[in-house]
mmCIF file of all heavy atoms in Angstrom:
data_model
loop_
_atom_site.group_PDB
_atom_site.id
_atom_site.type_symbol
_atom_site.label_atom_id
_atom_site.label_comp_id
_atom_site.label_asym_id
_atom_site.label_seq_id
_atom_site.Cartn_x
_atom_site.Cartn_y
_atom_site.Cartn_z
ATOM 1 N N ALA A 205 -38.041 -46.225 14.738
ATOM 2 C CA ALA A 205 -39.442 -45.670 14.994
ATOM 3 C C ALA A 205 -39.472 -44.249 15.110
ATOM 4 O O ALA A 205 -40.348 -43.523 14.637
ATOM 5 C CB ALA A 205 -40.011 -46.447 16.187
ATOM 6 N N TYR A 206 -38.541 -43.763 15.929
ATOM 7 C CA TYR A 206 -38.344 -42.272 16.192
ATOM 8 C C TYR A 206 -38.038 -41.573 14.863
ATOM 9 O O TYR A 206 -38.711 -40.535 14.596
ATOM 10 C CB TYR A 206 -37.221 -42.118 17.168
ATOM 11 C CG TYR A 206 -36.446 -40.748 17.135
ATOM 12 C CD1 TYR A 206 -37.090 -39.547 17.398
ATOM 13 C CD2 TYR A 206 -35.123 -40.782 16.842
ATOM 14 C CE1 TYR A 206 -36.364 -38.406 17.432
ATOM 15 C CE2 TYR A 206 -34.381 -39.561 16.797
ATOM 16 C CZ TYR A 206 -35.042 -38.441 17.091
ATOM 17 O OH TYR A 206 -34.268 -37.235 17.095
ATOM 18 N N ASP A 207 -37.218 -42.050 14.046
ATOM 19 C CA ASP A 207 -36.861 -41.477 12.837
ATOM 20 C C ASP A 207 -38.001 -41.370 11.849
ATOM 21 O O ASP A 207 -38.261 -40.334 11.261
ATOM 22 C CB ASP A 207 -35.717 -42.282 12.135
ATOM 23 C CG ASP A 207 -34.952 -41.540 11.085
ATOM 24 O OD1 ASP A 207 -35.120 -40.313 11.024
ATOM 25 O OD2 ASP A 207 -34.114 -42.140 10.392
ATOM 26 N N VAL A 208 -38.754 -42.394 11.790
ATOM 27 C CA VAL A 208 -39.985 -42.360 10.848
ATOM 28 C C VAL A 208 -41.025 -41.406 11.398
ATOM 29 O O VAL A 208 -41.577 -40.641 10.563
ATOM 30 C CB VAL A 208 -40.595 -43.860 10.792
ATOM 31 C CG1 VAL A 208 -41.945 -43.790 10.070
ATOM 32 C CG2 VAL A 208 -39.640 -44.746 10.058
ATOM 33 N N LEU A 209 -41.335 -41.464 12.674
ATOM 34 C CA LEU A 209 -42.298 -40.534 13.280
ATOM 35 C C LEU A 209 -41.907 -39.091 13.114
ATOM 36 O O LEU A 209 -42.761 -38.235 12.860
ATOM 37 C CB LEU A 209 -42.536 -40.900 14.775
ATOM 38 C CG LEU A 209 -43.260 -42.263 14.975
ATOM 39 C CD1 LEU A 209 -43.295 -42.434 16.511
ATOM 40 C CD2 LEU A 209 -44.616 -42.302 14.398
ATOM 41 N N LYS A 210 -40.596 -38.880 13.367
ATOM 42 C CA LYS A 210 -40.101 -37.441 13.239
ATOM 43 C C LYS A 210 -40.010 -36.968 11.769
ATOM 44 O O LYS A 210 -40.547 -35.900 11.466
ATOM 45 C CB LYS A 210 -38.774 -37.394 13.898
ATOM 46 C CG LYS A 210 -38.093 -35.942 13.864
ATOM 47 C CD LYS A 210 -36.729 -35.995 14.407
ATOM 48 C CE LYS A 210 -36.043 -34.615 14.231
ATOM 49 N NZ LYS A 210 -34.654 -34.560 14.807
ATOM 50 N N ASN A 211 -39.348 -37.733 10.948
ATOM 51 C CA ASN A 211 -38.988 -37.305 9.602
ATOM 52 C C ASN A 211 -39.990 -37.615 8.512
ATOM 53 O O ASN A 211 -39.970 -36.986 7.397
ATOM 54 C CB ASN A 211 -37.590 -37.799 9.221
ATOM 55 C CG ASN A 211 -36.520 -37.072 9.983
ATOM 56 O OD1 ASN A 211 -36.435 -35.833 10.033
ATOM 57 N ND2 ASN A 211 -35.751 -37.867 10.749
ATOM 58 N N VAL A 212 -40.859 -38.546 8.735
ATOM 59 C CA VAL A 212 -41.907 -38.832 7.833
ATOM 60 C C VAL A 212 -43.271 -38.301 8.361
ATOM 61 O O VAL A 212 -44.050 -37.708 7.586
ATOM 62 C CB VAL A 212 -42.073 -40.373 7.535
ATOM 63 C CG1 VAL A 212 -43.290 -40.700 6.621
ATOM 64 C CG2 VAL A 212 -40.784 -40.903 6.995
ATOM 65 N N GLY A 213 -43.490 -38.475 9.692
ATOM 66 C CA GLY A 213 -44.715 -37.927 10.259
ATOM 67 C C GLY A 213 -44.646 -36.572 10.701
ATOM 68 O O GLY A 213 -45.712 -35.902 10.959
ATOM 69 N N GLY A 214 -43.400 -35.995 10.830
ATOM 70 C CA GLY A 214 -43.349 -34.591 11.230
ATOM 71 C C GLY A 214 -43.665 -34.311 12.708
ATOM 72 O O GLY A 214 -44.051 -33.242 13.087
ATOM 73 N N LEU A 215 -43.546 -35.268 13.559
ATOM 74 C CA LEU A 215 -43.808 -35.167 14.958
ATOM 75 C C LEU A 215 -42.718 -34.481 15.722
ATOM 76 O O LEU A 215 -41.547 -34.871 15.419
ATOM 77 C CB LEU A 215 -44.235 -36.549 15.606
ATOM 78 C CG LEU A 215 -45.612 -37.050 15.372
ATOM 79 C CD1 LEU A 215 -45.897 -37.496 13.919
ATOM 80 C CD2 LEU A 215 -45.964 -38.201 16.271
ATOM 81 N N GLU A 317 -31.457 -34.093 1.371
ATOM 82 C CA GLU A 317 -31.665 -34.878 2.543
ATOM 83 C C GLU A 317 -32.938 -34.408 3.254
ATOM 84 O O GLU A 317 -33.264 -34.877 4.378
ATOM 85 C CB GLU A 317 -30.462 -34.647 3.498
ATOM 86 C CG GLU A 317 -30.352 -35.773 4.563
ATOM 87 C CD GLU A 317 -29.151 -35.658 5.421
ATOM 88 O OE1 GLU A 317 -28.118 -35.051 4.970
ATOM 89 O OE2 GLU A 317 -29.185 -36.062 6.610
ATOM 90 N N GLU A 318 -33.695 -33.543 2.611
ATOM 91 C CA GLU A 318 -34.899 -33.024 3.205
ATOM 92 C C GLU A 318 -35.995 -34.114 2.988
ATOM 93 O O GLU A 318 -36.639 -34.166 1.935
ATOM 94 C CB GLU A 318 -35.338 -31.679 2.550
ATOM 95 C CG GLU A 318 -34.382 -30.562 2.861
ATOM 96 C CD GLU A 318 -34.266 -30.259 4.307
ATOM 97 O OE1 GLU A 318 -35.305 -30.285 4.972
ATOM 98 O OE2 GLU A 318 -33.212 -30.000 4.772
ATOM 99 N N ILE A 319 -36.157 -34.983 4.014
ATOM 100 C CA ILE A 319 -37.042 -36.117 3.839
ATOM 101 C C ILE A 319 -38.354 -35.853 4.628
ATOM 102 O O ILE A 319 -39.256 -36.686 4.562
ATOM 103 C CB ILE A 319 -36.425 -37.401 4.393
ATOM 104 C CG1 ILE A 319 -35.783 -37.136 5.826
ATOM 105 C CG2 ILE A 319 -35.306 -37.853 3.475
ATOM 106 C CD1 ILE A 319 -35.103 -38.369 6.453
ATOM 107 N N ASN A 320 -38.431 -34.719 5.261
ATOM 108 C CA ASN A 320 -39.627 -34.418 6.074
ATOM 109 C C ASN A 320 -40.767 -33.973 5.024
ATOM 110 O O ASN A 320 -40.801 -32.792 4.558
ATOM 111 C CB ASN A 320 -39.381 -33.332 7.115
ATOM 112 C CG ASN A 320 -40.555 -33.146 8.010
ATOM 113 O OD1 ASN A 320 -41.706 -33.544 7.748
ATOM 114 N ND2 ASN A 320 -40.232 -32.596 9.180
ATOM 115 N N ASN A 321 -41.643 -34.844 4.796
ATOM 116 C CA ASN A 321 -42.743 -34.587 3.833
ATOM 117 C C ASN A 321 -43.928 -35.159 4.410
ATOM 118 O O ASN A 321 -44.260 -36.351 4.213
ATOM 119 C CB ASN A 321 -42.395 -35.192 2.470
ATOM 120 C CG ASN A 321 -43.500 -34.925 1.417
ATOM 121 O OD1 ASN A 321 -44.457 -34.249 1.766
ATOM 122 N ND2 ASN A 321 -43.322 -35.522 0.239
ATOM 123 N N VAL A 322 -44.726 -34.369 5.170
ATOM 124 C CA VAL A 322 -45.877 -34.902 5.897
ATOM 125 C C VAL A 322 -47.107 -34.768 5.011
ATOM 126 O O VAL A 322 -48.226 -35.153 5.546
ATOM 127 C CB VAL A 322 -46.058 -34.153 7.233
ATOM 128 C CG1 VAL A 322 -44.838 -34.371 8.101
ATOM 129 C CG2 VAL A 322 -46.275 -32.709 6.998
ATOM 130 N N LEU A 330 -50.150 -43.422 11.036
ATOM 131 C CA LEU A 330 -48.741 -43.745 11.039
ATOM 132 C C LEU A 330 -48.277 -44.130 12.408
ATOM 133 O O LEU A 330 -47.451 -45.054 12.521
ATOM 134 C CB LEU A 330 -47.961 -42.505 10.518
ATOM 135 C CG LEU A 330 -46.429 -42.652 10.538
ATOM 136 C CD1 LEU A 330 -46.013 -43.768 9.566
ATOM 137 C CD2 LEU A 330 -45.752 -41.324 10.151
ATOM 138 N N LYS A 427 -39.565 -42.668 1.322
ATOM 139 C CA LYS A 427 -39.154 -41.318 1.728
ATOM 140 C C LYS A 427 -37.652 -41.160 1.938
ATOM 141 O O LYS A 427 -37.158 -40.133 2.204
ATOM 142 C CB LYS A 427 -39.819 -40.978 3.047
ATOM 143 C CG LYS A 427 -41.334 -40.946 3.001
ATOM 144 C CD LYS A 427 -41.852 -39.723 2.140
ATOM 145 C CE LYS A 427 -43.421 -39.627 2.207
ATOM 146 N NZ LYS A 427 -43.833 -38.501 1.372
ATOM 147 N N VAL A 429 -35.840 -42.823 4.285
ATOM 148 C CA VAL A 429 -35.446 -42.993 5.691
ATOM 149 C C VAL A 429 -34.991 -44.395 5.862
ATOM 150 O O VAL A 429 -35.741 -45.324 5.615
ATOM 151 C CB VAL A 429 -36.620 -42.627 6.574
ATOM 152 C CG1 VAL A 429 -36.297 -42.952 8.029
ATOM 153 C CG2 VAL A 429 -37.101 -41.221 6.398
#
Side-chain angles (χ1 to χ4, degrees):
Y206 153 65
D207 200 9
V208 171
L209 292 175
K210 176 183 178 181
N211 290 305
V212 177
L215 278 72
E317 200 180 328
E318 294 300 319
I319 51 183
N320 191 338
N321 180 4
V322 298
L330 179 63
K427 297 292 186 180
V429 176

